[in-house]
Amino acid sequence: NSKLRHVEKDVLIPQIMRDRAKELCSEKVQAFTKCCQETGLLMVVKCRQENSALKDCLVGYYSDPSFYEECKTEYLKQREEYRATGIKKRRQKFTSNV
């Protein structure tokens, strides 16, 4: 059964999308993080370029219908495994500083 509940469509699948987008945009995440660490309180002004590049990368994934379908398929697979085994599988994180 691949019918999705409201919480799955609006919370759980978008969470997978955010996690995966951060992994796929990891270079930009790292550049923004490094800039913020180096500039401290001036990060709002000094890290605009890095922030903009990161935002563009993430929004590109968030607004891609095929990326949503990919993440939905991943979620449904996880849900099916959980229903079959009763064991919730944790998502592996590829980036250490996010």
Side-chain angles (χ1 to χ4, degrees):
N1 181 6
S2 62
K3 190 115 169 119
L4 294 171
R5 295 175 296 144
H6 170 72
V7 71
E8 292 172 317
K9 279 191 279 192
D10 296 343
V11 178
L12 300 175
I13 294 171
Q15 181 61 52
I16 290 174
M17 291 177 75
R18 281 189 296 276
D19 291 346
R20 289 205 52 220
K22 281 182 188 173
E23 291 166 8
L24 295 167
C25 298
S26 65
E27 278 182 29
K28 289 166 182 59
V29 170
Q30 289 171 357
F32 179 66
T33 301
K34 183 179 180 204
C35 180
C36 290
Q37 289 170 342
E38 290 173 355
T39 55
L41 295 175
L42 295 174
M43 72 178 133
V44 174
V45 176
K46 298 238 178 190
C47 301
R48 266 192 206 132
Q49 187 176 344
E50 290 84 353
N51 187 32
S52 181
L54 174 57
K55 194 186 304 181
D56 290 347
C57 184
L58 294 173
V59 168
Y61 284 110
Y62 298 156
S63 59
D64 180 354
S66 64
F67 185 67
Y68 175 84
E69 289 302 318
E70 226 177 273
C71 293
K72 178 176 142 184
T73 300
E74 182 180 330
Y75 172 76
L76 290 171
K77 185 178 170 206
Q78 289 174 6
R79 185 178 77 173
E80 187 179 319
E81 286 175 16
Y82 174 73
R83 287 179 176 176
T85 64
I87 300 168
K88 187 171 184 173
K89 185 178 177 187
R90 291 215 173 261
R91 277 194 40 80
Q92 181 180 355
K93 294 252 183 193
F94 294 103
T95 53
S96 58
N97 64 346
V98 176

